[in-house]
Amino acid sequence: MRFAVAVKQVPDTMEMSVDENGSLVRAGVPAILNPYDEYALSKVLGMRGEGDEVVVFTMGPPQARQALTRCLEMGADRAYLLTDRDFAGADVWATARTLTAFIMRFVPDADLYVFGRQAIDGDTGQVPFEVAAQLGVQQFAYVESLSSSEDGFTAVQDYGDVSMTCRVPRGSVVSFGAVDPNGTLFSISDYLSAGSKTVEEVDRVSIGLGLYSVGLRGSMTKIVSTKTSSGARRNRKVEITDPAKGAGFIISELEAMR
Amino acid sequence: MSDCSGGSCSTCSSCGSDDPDRLPPGMLKVYNLNQSTADGVLVWVETEPDGEGVRIADVSLELLSAARRLSDGRVFAVVFGGAEVKPLYPSIFGCGVDSLYHVREKALETYMPEDYASCIVSLIKRIEPATVLMGATLRGRELAPRIASELGTGLTADCTGLRADGRKLIMTRPAFGGNIIADIECLRFPQMATVRQGTFPKPEMREGSGTAIYWQFKEVVGKDIVSVERAEESGEDIRDARVLISLGDGIRDRALVDVAESVARKVGGMVSCSRSLVERGWMPRSRQVGMSGRTVVPDLYIAFGISGAVQHRVGMSAAGKVIAVNSDPDAPIHHYADLSLIADAGDILREMDRAL
């Protein structure tokens, strides 16, 4: 069987900070493999049987190769890096279109297309389902567990209020719902053999898309303005040495509310 | 098309010039053939099980009443389900809906993203709304991209604000973990957005009447669903609480969960938590606030030992007032609190329990 796993390289938002003017400090923030994707990949690697192949792919700048290298170290077999200046600035639609074109050209026969729930920098989690619609296949979101049997896969999906168990036909899109807070451990043999595996670069022309189908030009949404967050509140910081006094503060707030 | 160099051209009208001297002979005005006829707002009304029947999800009610203010045109709503949906009609119309489309297909009573999307796409093609809105719930965030992709239109997920400029919608959403707020426009009709709960005030319940239309959709493909299990609900929902005592990773003593429950009882609130406590098995999943949990909008949110990672903040950023108790003076939560106490969360909780 063949699994195709889509991943993304993201800045580590946990490490991101805001300076005194409220602007985002991005310098020196390390780029990591999106933890949700890492989790999805680890699940797939856990299911892999003899003779199965795990292909990973990502769209991003040339340095996104690092994220793919990490996937190979985890045990993926092959990696594709979709990189082209024209891909820059893509919104959900343009990203999905690019990934779909890639899938049709390079991994049209995968048994499952696997995604993480969302990327920690964009937080939208929309790409898997746009890809599913463009491929014309079924989609399985918030998957908690996936098992394979002779006649295909079975997924358990967690919708919060209900838990749904479905049969997953071959070629479907699966998006895992969770993330492993402790990261994943990989075997030393996979780690060592990663050096011999290659990352293949793919550009716009090789997936057969026009200039106006990808990136910023191919996007259906446009950012008209940005401002740094107004989410910060007028903060009053108090250092508390006496817990009774601290509790008093909160209780007076509670009473003020009534 | 707009690359016309101007000047001597008098053969086409596509550059949009209104100067009559530059129009082809016999033509009095410019007809913009690419002008969309789309108008109005369509809202997907999501229903939740409620005892034996169903109720409308809060976020859908918020959107229905916001749609009325966002558009001069018609407000359409679409709802799926059988006879149990009928009692909801008055409240849907009470929010200002002009036409309600009720998809009453037996095969679509269970939620299936693929067929729901195809059905809503068929409806969108018929009524041509300028805007399509859904709640940024687990289902909405899965359904909206499927629809947007089938229509080839843009989608802004998880908006925290919407305003209208004529038919055009300006959508606001945070990025980079809420550190940046972006205004986004969609370049094509229908403009699609999923909107976070609490973005708009919940309307007062009013009864109204209007046109309900059964929408026929026969091309159901179906899905091979083995089983659907209702998750056990504790009965109370943290989304309804006015005061939340929220516990995070900084809570190291399991006994503190009981202390917090006791404090919550005394102040008429509920206990919620961040992801780490769910993972430790100290709290049920239904109490989790944040991206993989629930979005809450209490009047007062008291965060005990919560560091304030992005994933948590998105779930509570709309709270009325936020108090953070954390012994780490550099924890990000302090940027997002009205009042920060630099103190041990456990000490304060115990002291509150004693004092109340």
Side-chain angles (χ1 to χ4, degrees):
Chain A
M1 267 187 291
R2 181 184 260 193
F3 302 93
V5 185
V7 301
K8 188 180 181 188
Q9 190 185 43
V10 294
D12 192 346
T13 46
M14 294 292 233
E15 299 275 315
M16 238 180 219
S17 57
V18 180
D19 69 10
E20 57 273 18
N21 307 321
S23 332
L24 202 60
V25 182
R26 292 179 72 177
V29 176
I32 54 168
L33 174 62
N34 179 33
Y36 289 94
D37 299 341
E38 187 171 305
Y39 175 79
L41 177 61
S42 69
K43 284 287 190 185
V44 169
L45 291 170
M47 277 175 62
R48 175 166 61 170
E50 199 65 38
D52 291 354
E53 189 185 31
V54 178
V55 179
V56 290
F57 59 99
T58 190
M59 182 173 106
Q63 55 274 27
R65 181 180 287 269
Q66 287 167 5
L68 291 175
T69 308
R70 168 145 177 104
C71 296
L72 294 176
E73 287 168 359
M74 284 172 67
D77 299 302
R78 261 186 316 134
Y80 291 97
L81 172 61
L82 283 76
T83 188
D84 194 312
R85 292 180 84 113
D86 301 337
F87 291 157
D91 74 343
V92 185
W93 164 258
T95 306
R97 195 162 176 188
T98 309
L99 296 183
T100 306
F102 163 80
I103 287 170
M104 308 280 252
R105 169 78 176 75
F106 288 88
V107 273
D109 53 345
D111 294 282
L112 275 188
Y113 298 99
V114 180
F115 292 75
R117 180 191 176 114
Q118 63 205 26
I120 58 168
D121 58 346
D123 296 333
T124 62
Q126 311 287 275
V127 171
F129 314 124
E130 293 224 350
V131 170
Q134 289 181 30
L135 288 172
V137 300
Q138 290 187 18
Q139 65 190 44
F140 298 86
Y142 319 115
V143 170
E144 223 175 33
S145 68
L146 186 68
S147 53
S148 75
S149 56
E150 278 174 19
D151 53 341
F153 304 91
T154 307
V156 181
Q157 294 172 268
D158 178 12
Y159 279 103
D161 53 350
V162 294
S163 160
M164 208 149 107
T165 309
C166 293
R167 289 212 191 286
V168 182
R170 285 185 199 286
S172 298
V173 165
V174 166
S175 154
F176 277 94
V179 65
D180 187 350
N182 303 318
T184 35
L185 292 169
F186 31 87
S187 80
I188 196 77
S189 62
D190 283 331
Y191 185 82
L192 292 175
S193 65
S196 61
K197 301 173 195 164
T198 54
V199 175
E200 189 178 329
E201 285 198 15
V202 175
D203 64 1
R204 176 178 64 79
V205 175
S206 62
I207 55 173
L209 284 179
L211 189 55
Y212 284 81
S213 305
V214 297
L216 190 61
R217 294 186 192 88
S219 292
M220 289 292 161
T221 53
K222 187 175 77 179
I223 296 175
V224 281
S225 69
T226 56
K227 55 177 184 288
T228 46
S229 173
S230 54
R233 293 162 184 259
R234 45 172 178 78
N235 182 243
R236 188 157 62 97
K237 245 187 220 179
V238 192
E239 290 214 26
I240 301 290
T241 42
D242 176 14
K245 205 172 151 209
F249 266 119
I250 299 180
I251 291 167
S252 64
E253 289 283 350
L254 278 163
E255 274 160 5
M257 227 184 72
R258 295 235 170 93
Chain B
M1 215 162 66
S2 54
D3 292 340
C4 183
S5 56
S8 61
C9 128
S10 64
T11 48
C12 92
S13 59
S14 60
C15 63
S17 161
D18 272 325
D19 180 359
D21 294 338
R22 291 186 51 196
L23 287 173
M27 218 168 137
L28 299 175
K29 62 175 271 212
V30 171
Y31 294 94
N32 184 351
L33 297 178
N34 286 330
Q35 182 83 39
S36 169
T37 50
D39 193 24
V41 181
L42 172 69
V43 178
W44 173 49
V45 179
E46 190 172 351
T47 54
E48 294 172 343
D50 180 27
E52 290 300 298
V54 293
R55 65 188 169 100
I56 308 171
D58 286 347
V59 63
S60 300
L61 284 173
E62 293 166 16
L63 286 176
L64 286 172
S65 69
R68 184 75 277 167
R69 294 193 297 275
L70 283 170
S71 165
D72 307 328
R74 292 181 76 80
V75 175
F76 308 99
V78 57
V79 66
F80 290 78
E84 76 279 8
V85 173
K86 276 202 145 178
L88 304 179
Y89 284 6
S91 7
I92 295 176
F93 289 122
C95 297
V97 170
D98 298 305
S99 312
L100 170 66
Y101 290 87
H102 182 176
V103 183
R104 210 176 159 178
E105 298 289 338
K106 196 95 192 99
L108 288 178
E109 280 176 16
T110 310
Y111 168 79
M112 289 180 291
E114 299 84 3
D115 286 322
Y116 271 44
S118 313
C119 177
I120 294 176
V121 165
S122 72
L123 180 62
I124 288 172
K125 284 182 176 160
R126 169 71 63 82
I127 62 183
E128 279 197 279
T131 301
V132 178
L133 300 178
M134 310 192 166
T137 56
L138 290 178
R139 291 185 180 86
R141 292 172 64 152
E142 174 194 20
L143 186 55
R146 183 113 194 164
I147 296 170
S149 196
E150 286 188 18
L151 291 167
T153 189
L155 165 67
T156 309
D158 226 6
C159 296
T160 54
L162 297 176
R163 46 182 210 280
D165 176 12
R167 285 191 299 174
K168 196 192 279 176
L169 189 70
I170 295 142
M171 298 163 276
T172 308
R173 81 173 301 262
F176 289 108
N179 290 314
I180 280 183
I181 307 286
D183 280 350
I184 297 171
E185 277 177 19
C186 185
L187 303 176
R188 194 177 274 191
F189 291 117
Q191 317 163 82
M192 289 193 62
T194 58
V195 182
R196 217 175 269 180
Q197 181 174 2
T199 299
F200 298 103
K202 195 175 156 188
E204 279 172 36
M205 280 298 193
R206 266 200 311 264
E207 306 244 309
S209 59
T211 330
I213 301 157
Y214 286 148
W215 183 253
Q216 304 284 325
F217 183 74
K218 293 292 175 207
E219 297 109 71
V220 178
V221 180
K223 204 168 181 174
D224 194 353
I225 298 174
V226 181
S227 70
V228 178
E229 281 168 47
R230 281 264 290 273
E232 275 182 44
E233 288 288 326
S234 54
E236 284 175 298
D237 189 332
I238 53 171
R239 288 175 293 192
D240 298 331
R242 285 187 59 215
V243 177
L244 280 178
I245 310 284
S246 206
L247 309 178
D249 201 36
I251 300 293
R252 288 285 163 192
D253 179 2
R254 187 160 186 173
L256 284 169
V257 175
D258 298 327
V259 177
E261 287 285 358
S262 150
V263 170
R265 231 181 352 261
K266 287 173 186 168
V267 302
M270 283 185 74
V271 180
S272 58
C273 64
S274 71
R275 200 180 63 212
S276 45
L277 290 209
V278 177
E279 271 155 13
R280 282 188 225 155
W282 292 8
M283 299 281 290
R285 184 72 177 273
S286 60
R287 298 291 184 93
Q288 186 189 334
V289 171
M291 204 133 61
S292 41
R294 295 186 170 173
T295 302
V296 294
V297 198
D299 295 338
L300 179 61
Y301 187 85
I302 316 178
F304 286 97
I306 289 179
S307 61
V310 173
Q311 286 79 351
H312 183 76
R313 258 158 34 214
V314 297
M316 45 68 74
S317 56
K321 193 161 199 176
V322 178
I323 301 178
V325 184
N326 198 316
S327 51
D328 175 9
D330 298 321
I333 188 81
H334 295 312
H335 291 287
Y336 302 90
D338 299 288
L339 174 67
S340 304
L341 305 182
I342 316 294
D344 181 72
D347 290 350
I348 302 277
L349 262 177
R350 287 206 177 85
E351 194 54 50
M352 278 177 75
D353 192 32
R354 246 193 306 275
L356 281 163

